[in-house]
Amino acid sequence: MATSSAIEALKDALKALPGVGPKNAQRMAFHLMERNREGAKAIADALNDALARVTCCQRCNTFCETELCEICVNPKRDQGLLCVVETPADLQALEQVGAYQGLYFVLMGKLSPLEGIGPEKLAFRRLNTLVAESEIREVVIATNITAEGETTADYTQQMLAPYDVKITRLARGVPVGGELEYMDQRTLAAAFKDRRTSVE
Amino acid sequence: MRVHQQRAYILVNRPYSESSWIVEVFSREYGRIGLMAKGARRFKSKLKGALMPFQPVLLSWTGKGEVPTLTSAEIDQTDYNLVEHELRGDALVCGFYCNELIVNLLHRHDPHAALFDRYHSTIMALSQAKSEDVLPLVLRRFEQVVMKETGYQVNFDYEVDGKTAIQNEAYYRYQPSQGFIRVATPQRMTFTGRVIRSLNTDSREGLSNLEVSQGKQLMRDILAQTLGRKQILSRELFYPKHR
């Protein structure tokens, strides 16, 4: 039953959101039209605005509104350190910790053959050029600890191997506050494999 | 329907809502199926470690319909060592390649116990490979079993008629969904009998490097024809070697 072609189009458009199916899309569309037209306007404006202004940083590939993002132009950042992450969300998570003072590079995804994502769909070429042309002494690979993330890490590592840079990988191990008794086996095994010398 | 402690491998995890995964599973007795892993993406979930690909797991699930609900998952450590058998580097890419073959060639709910056992031994062999040179051999053997088990078997010993044995020194071309046809002189896309017959054995002894790579190319062509429009992407994941 098509009530209005505009509402049908809105429902179809809302299905682009992750985890939103036909039922949810309809609920959202009716809610916006029935009771929250102001909110709908705000969403529409914000979306248009974001689409018009958000681009990718020319250096690190994360989302930003200028040619270079705030992190890349910040002179206090260590220009010799480069952290490779999968997504801008990962970058955000690391930034919130505040433990890292170097620069980033965002691949915009992970290698996943079963989802049809090969190296060509990620920003490997730009990363290669960046490492080749900049004064980077250490690349920290901070992809997820999943099969796809590890493949992405191995690929990155092989690609950067010819350059004279130190390549490191985020440590895998026991989380802070973790009790060994309740730890999942995979994590515990990884923690054992990646154990380090206790004396600094 | 309740299923208890079924031997299986995870092929791929796909996020479903904020907190769950739909896991694509290759189980020994139920074949390739999809399972809903509720809450698996949560920080405290203990399922995460068990739901990684390339490790044997024991899964229990319940429910009818296309996607039953996963009720428990644990790593099957009967002959799997968490530290020693971890896939990395090229072996990991080979693992993805096997998964792509399984996902593309197996129908859902179609049990293949023999193929499951071969998949298990393939993953074990990949994880224990001492050098990168053994990986292609492991994959060729797996490809053969996949083809055989999914009904796309190719006869590497006899010509199309099924009677005339393939001769080592003669030349043949491959006719899709039929088999090998002898040709008088070598042309583009023809192979010697020696290369063809080598695809039916585990050994590459007596074969030159060129012949091994011809065998690989032939198998790749046959697989490409079998897969039709589906593409195998894992090959692109090997970073070109600097030699």
Side-chain angles (χ1 to χ4, degrees):
Chain A
M1 180 193 69
T3 45
S4 131
S5 64
I7 285 190
E8 289 304 311
L10 177 58
K11 281 198 263 181
D12 268 347
L14 285 167
K15 278 192 273 181
L17 292 166
V20 174
K23 261 268 161 62
N24 260 326
Q26 171 165 315
R27 191 174 54 81
M28 290 177 184
F30 283 170
H31 175 84
L32 290 174
M33 290 302 106
E34 261 172 50
R35 354 180 147 249
N36 201 350
R37 293 214 167 203
E38 260 174 44
K41 178 85 171 61
I43 292 176
D45 290 347
L47 256 182
N48 273 326
D49 197 34
L51 278 175
R53 283 166 49 187
V54 175
T55 54
C56 288
C57 171
Q58 295 297 307
R59 190 174 191 281
C60 75
N61 204 30
T62 196
F63 294 135
C64 70
E65 292 178 30
T66 42
E67 194 176 325
L68 291 174
C69 71
E70 279 177 24
I71 298 174
C72 286
V73 294
N74 185 347
K76 286 185 189 150
R77 289 277 176 164
D78 186 342
Q79 307 286 319
L81 269 175
L82 186 74
C83 180
V84 179
V85 294
E86 291 177 13
T87 63
D90 295 337
L91 185 155
Q92 209 72 52
L94 285 168
E95 270 306 283
Q96 276 166 11
V97 177
Y100 177 71
Q101 287 304 320
L103 302 173
Y104 290 94
F105 187 84
V106 181
L107 290 169
M108 288 291 174
K110 55 182 184 244
L111 291 174
S112 180
L114 290 145
E115 311 283 6
I117 314 253
E120 291 301 316
K121 295 206 174 159
L122 305 182
F124 282 113
R125 276 199 199 145
R126 285 185 53 189
L127 173 61
N128 205 346
T129 321
L130 180 65
V131 175
E133 292 172 357
S134 318
E135 299 279 310
I136 290 161
R137 49 171 210 283
E138 180 177 342
V139 174
V140 186
I141 302 175
T143 52
N144 289 333
I145 312 286
T146 57
E148 288 86 358
E150 300 279 42
T151 310
T152 313
D154 290 341
Y155 189 90
T156 311
Q157 195 255 318
Q158 286 183 44
M159 182 179 81
L160 300 180
Y163 301 109
D164 184 26
V165 289
K166 184 178 171 189
I167 299 173
T168 53
R169 177 100 175 84
L170 276 200
R172 312 177 292 179
V174 182
V176 177
E179 296 169 76
L180 298 196
E181 189 186 350
Y182 301 106
M183 195 103 347
D184 84 84
Q185 296 166 315
R186 192 76 209 217
T187 304
L188 215 44
F192 238 98
K193 201 172 176 179
D194 292 358
R195 71 185 182 276
R196 61 183 173 83
T197 316
S198 173
V199 187
E200 287 292 295
Chain B
M1 186 178 69
R2 277 174 186 281
V3 177
H4 280 289
Q5 302 269 303
Q6 174 67 210
R7 288 181 62 197
Y9 271 89
I10 308 298
L11 297 170
V12 63
N13 294 324
R14 298 191 168 98
Y16 182 85
S17 79
E18 279 288 296
S19 60
S20 303
W21 268 329
I22 288 187
V23 290
E24 192 74 27
V25 163
F26 182 31
S27 65
R28 192 170 188 279
E29 282 161 48
Y30 296 83
R32 182 166 78 86
I33 52 168
L35 295 174
M36 172 78 75
K38 285 186 181 158
R41 294 181 76 196
R42 290 215 175 91
F43 175 68
K44 287 197 170 169
S45 168
K46 291 182 78 176
L47 285 173
K48 262 186 291 219
L51 295 180
M52 295 274 280
F54 313 123
Q55 62 184 6
V57 286
L58 296 170
L59 304 180
S60 306
W61 62 86
T62 178
K64 286 177 286 201
E66 185 58 27
V67 186
T69 305
L70 182 81
T71 50
S72 84
E74 58 183 277
I75 300 170
D76 178 6
Q77 295 189 68
T78 323
D79 51 0
Y80 176 81
N81 183 301
L82 282 158
V83 175
E84 287 168 20
H85 292 141
E86 198 191 2
L87 289 191
R88 287 313 297 266
D90 283 358
L92 180 55
V93 180
C94 291
F96 272 112
Y97 176 74
C98 296
N99 284 7
E100 277 199 274
L101 289 184
I102 297 282
V103 168
N104 287 325
L105 291 173
L106 255 62
H107 295 290
R108 276 197 170 177
H109 308 292
D110 195 4
H112 286 280
L115 180 56
F116 179 88
D117 294 340
R118 171 55 69 171
Y119 178 86
H120 174 64
S121 59
T122 302
I123 297 298
M124 290 291 137
L126 290 176
S127 67
Q128 284 165 309
K130 293 280 185 289
S131 84
E132 286 171 9
D133 301 341
V134 266
L135 300 177
L137 292 186
V138 176
L139 289 187
R140 295 298 90 76
R141 187 78 193 114
F142 182 69
E143 286 164 351
Q144 285 160 30
V145 180
V146 173
M147 301 286 279
K148 186 176 159 202
E149 283 291 318
T150 50
Y152 297 107
Q153 193 176 14
V154 176
N155 195 334
F156 293 108
D157 288 322
Y158 293 93
E159 288 183 34
V160 167
D161 62 8
K163 285 181 299 211
T164 324
I166 285 178
Q167 306 292 317
N168 272 350
E169 309 305 328
Y171 291 90
Y172 301 85
R173 72 180 167 81
Y174 178 70
Q175 182 69 32
S177 66
Q178 289 183 41
F180 290 97
I181 297 165
R182 187 166 174 165
V183 290
T185 50
Q187 306 151 10
R188 235 183 107 253
M189 302 298 286
T190 59
F191 300 87
T192 62
R194 189 196 315 282
V195 170
I196 294 164
R197 291 180 60 199
S198 77
L199 294 176
N200 212 15
T201 59
D202 282 341
S203 159
R204 295 289 178 275
E205 260 174 57
L207 253 63
S208 68
N209 283 345
L210 177 68
E211 285 171 323
V212 169
S213 93
Q214 282 175 342
K216 179 177 164 185
Q217 185 59 47
L218 174 58
M219 202 65 202
R220 184 183 287 197
D221 293 345
I222 294 173
L223 271 170
Q225 280 149 7
T226 311
L227 287 163
R229 290 213 321 275
K230 293 170 189 160
Q231 292 274 321
I232 295 286
L233 209 69
S234 300
R235 293 191 192 104
E236 292 175 25
L237 267 50
F238 292 106
Y239 192 78
K241 297 279 181 298
H242 310 275
R243 279 183 179 154

